[in-house]
Amino acid sequence: MTINKFQGKTESEAIDKAKREMGPDVVIMSVKTVKPKGVFRAFKGIIYEVTAALEENESDKSVKAETAFRQPEAAMKQPESISLAADEPIRIPVAGQNLADAQPQRALPPVRQLEPEYAPAVPAQVPASAIEERLDSLQSLLEDRISAEKKNQEDGISVPGENKGQEGFSFIKMLYQTLLDNEVHEKYANQILDELEKISNKGNNIDYILSHIYQKLILKFGQPKPIELNDAKPKVAFFIGPTGVGKTTTIAKIASRYKVDEGKKVAFLTADTYRIAATEQLRTYANILDMPLTIVYSTEEIKDAVDNLSDFDLVLVDTAGFSHKSAAQCEDVKNLISGLSDDYETEVYLVLSATTKYRDLQDMCNIYQTFADYKLIFTKLDETSCYGNLLNIHLYSGANLSYATYGQNVPDDIEVFDTQKIVKKLLGGD
């Protein structure tokens, strides 16, 4: 992977530079402000610095390999490195270095969250020296298990490189089991472990391996995609999904953030006429937030309803929840989304519960993909201790992640999907 830093007078300018140089698939790992230094610092503005990463495809790797073959001396002088830092240089553990000789652990405070919370989010990164602090419980657990395994070899876990008998392999084995315990599907767990085997065979120590898998998981989740407003008015966001996942509450949370925190003109539109309680619930939120609510009783009415809201920045559309096995209701939602002309910019958000079984989530994704190119919102993160399905469904569907909710409080219990926090939990952290 390639990791670079870019600076600009604004956050957007720095991100644009990263995309121009590294391409549209670049993942923004972190954003920080750099205060000016020197005697004239009072006359200089704050600079924004972003750290960007790009996963190399096989063709890129082939080109690099060929270049290294042609220029062996220059290639050999470049150390293999993985940077997890956004704020300071990183000392990568030397291959074969013992864990006890690695840099001091648990020394840094938690990573500062970006403000405001609903600004376009990026998956923040942590310095390598803070890996063990943020994964404290995982590190202790794995060290205990490794010691126990030396006395009594565990059976029944099959991972690549099982006959290596190295400390690095034992660590990878424990990581594998931790991912499975978090309900990461075996297919995706094996893909991740296949990549780790390559660096383990080179004699890299446990710190290096842990840093590597942390980085890999961040990149696999990618950059979350919240609602972004532009000059085209109004932007229309449809919220679809099964019954009971919290679509209406999620819509109210998002509406509150954009109106109260960002001062945008937001309107509600509901097509959920199957449940009277749903309409009344949204009406209550509309009254509290002083926002208009329009009820659409048929797909033919949606265009006129949105036309009447042309001076608003954002229109949030609540659709009827239904079983993904109901073909008739599925067709109704499909017609509702396609009922708007191309004059309006539309986005679709599939709202899913983090407590739903993986097989059912797969079926839902398959059905909704037949008529909508959606982004993912996961709800009820406070009701589960296993977060593997968040990774499973993202990789299975290929859809971008957007928001996550973790309670019923409006507007507080929602955030742009926090990749760093979820990766930490997948690896056994608190």
Side-chain angles (χ1 to χ4, degrees):
M1 67 187 69
T2 302
I3 300 177
N4 291 321
K5 293 185 178 182
F6 301 88
Q7 293 185 341
K9 295 181 179 178
T10 65
E11 180 180 326
S12 298
E13 179 181 332
I15 293 175
D16 289 341
K17 286 182 180 179
K19 291 181 178 180
R20 285 199 302 270
E21 182 165 328
M22 302 182 71
D25 296 329
V26 66
V27 174
I28 305 301
M29 308 302 292
S30 64
V31 178
K32 73 170 185 177
T33 57
V34 180
K35 295 182 179 179
K37 299 180 180 180
V39 294
F40 297 105
R41 59 182 178 274
F43 303 97
K44 299 178 181 178
I46 294 177
I47 297 296
Y48 289 83
E49 182 178 88
V50 301
T51 301
L54 184 66
E55 186 73 23
E56 299 174 352
N57 55 38
E58 294 300 323
S59 59
D60 294 333
K61 294 178 181 178
S62 299
V63 171
K64 288 190 174 183
E66 183 179 355
T67 304
F69 178 77
R70 293 177 180 175
Q71 299 176 332
E73 293 183 2
M76 290 299 290
K77 291 180 180 179
Q78 298 297 324
E80 182 179 355
S81 64
I82 296 176
S83 173
L84 289 177
D87 302 323
E88 59 182 297
I90 294 301
R91 180 174 66 83
I92 298 299
V94 179
Q97 180 183 12
N98 293 327
L99 179 62
D101 297 330
Q103 56 191 13
Q105 302 176 1
R106 307 176 182 92
L108 296 184
V111 173
R112 176 180 59 83
Q113 296 296 321
L114 294 179
E115 296 291 345
E117 182 182 358
Y118 272 76
V122 296
Q125 280 292 44
V126 297
S129 59
I131 288 293
E132 280 70 35
E133 177 191 357
R134 298 188 65 80
L135 303 178
D136 185 24
S137 59
L138 171 66
Q139 187 72 30
S140 300
L141 172 65
L142 294 178
E143 289 177 352
D144 291 343
R145 287 188 178 181
I146 290 172
S147 299
E149 186 173 326
K150 291 179 181 179
K151 299 178 181 179
N152 183 17
Q153 184 69 27
E154 296 179 355
D155 297 321
I157 301 176
S158 176
V159 294
E162 188 165 2
N163 296 322
K164 297 299 180 182
Q166 302 173 351
E167 185 184 52
F169 162 70
S170 297
F171 186 75
I172 290 176
K173 187 174 181 179
M174 300 311 164
L175 286 174
Y176 181 82
Q177 187 59 52
T178 301
L179 291 174
L180 294 184
D181 290 344
N182 269 293
E183 298 184 2
V184 174
H185 192 273
E186 186 176 3
K187 171 185 175 181
Y188 303 122
N190 280 322
Q191 288 177 359
I192 296 168
L193 269 295
D194 284 342
E195 299 170 356
L196 284 184
E197 183 193 13
K198 299 175 183 178
I199 65 170
S200 176
N201 290 340
K202 297 179 181 179
N204 293 302
N205 63 25
I206 291 176
D207 283 348
Y208 189 95
I209 295 171
L210 183 58
S211 298
H212 189 83
I213 191 174
Y214 188 89
Q215 183 93 6
K216 282 291 184 181
L217 284 170
I218 290 286
L219 290 175
K220 283 187 179 295
F221 272 111
Q223 184 172 338
K225 304 291 183 181
I227 297 174
E228 296 182 1
L229 302 181
N230 49 39
D231 294 335
K233 291 186 178 183
K235 172 169 281 190
V236 182
F238 291 89
F239 293 80
I240 61 177
T243 57
V245 297
K247 288 194 303 299
T248 304
T249 305
T250 299
I251 291 172
K253 293 174 182 177
I254 293 175
S256 177
R257 293 293 176 137
Y258 277 95
K259 176 165 185 178
V260 177
D261 294 352
E262 299 191 17
K264 302 298 183 181
K265 295 184 66 177
V266 184
F268 288 133
L269 191 155
T270 181
D272 188 0
T273 56
Y274 291 92
R275 296 186 306 120
I276 296 177
T279 302
E280 292 306 313
Q281 181 184 13
L282 198 59
R283 189 188 305 278
T284 300
Y285 289 131
N287 291 336
I288 293 173
L289 295 170
D290 191 24
M291 293 166 48
L293 169 64
T294 304
I295 302 176
V296 175
Y297 293 96
S298 66
T299 57
E300 291 76 15
E301 297 179 10
I302 187 167
K303 185 179 185 304
D304 290 338
V306 175
D307 285 343
N308 292 333
L309 300 170
S310 59
D311 59 334
F312 281 74
D313 299 300
L314 178 63
V315 176
L316 304 175
V317 184
D318 190 11
T319 64
F322 62 89
S323 168
H324 57 280
K325 298 179 181 180
S326 174
Q329 288 180 307
C330 181
E331 188 67 20
D332 288 343
V333 175
K334 174 183 177 181
N335 293 335
L336 183 71
I337 295 174
S338 60
L340 283 179
S341 66
D342 294 336
D343 296 336
Y344 295 104
E345 183 179 358
T346 61
E347 292 181 346
V348 180
Y349 294 84
L350 175 57
V351 185
L352 299 172
S353 170
T355 63
T356 306
K357 293 187 299 185
Y358 178 47
R359 178 61 183 271
D360 292 334
L361 290 172
Q362 287 179 301
D363 292 341
M364 294 172 191
C365 288
N366 292 338
I367 292 297
Y368 288 109
Q369 276 185 332
T370 62
F371 63 84
D373 181 15
Y374 53 76
K375 299 179 179 68
L376 293 170
I377 296 177
F378 278 99
T379 62
K380 304 185 179 182
L381 267 68
D382 58 314
E383 299 181 19
T384 183
S385 58
C386 297
Y387 299 86
N389 276 341
L390 279 62
L391 177 63
N392 295 336
I393 291 302
H394 167 62
L395 296 178
Y396 176 80
S397 66
N400 289 314
L401 294 157
S402 186
Y403 298 96
T405 74
Y406 44 90
Q408 296 296 315
N409 294 326
V410 178
D412 297 324
D413 296 340
I414 189 171
E415 63 185 6
V416 175
F417 191 90
D418 191 335
T419 305
Q420 176 183 314
K421 180 168 68 176
I422 297 303
V423 168
K424 172 190 168 186
K425 290 183 178 295
L426 287 179
L427 293 177
D430 295 328

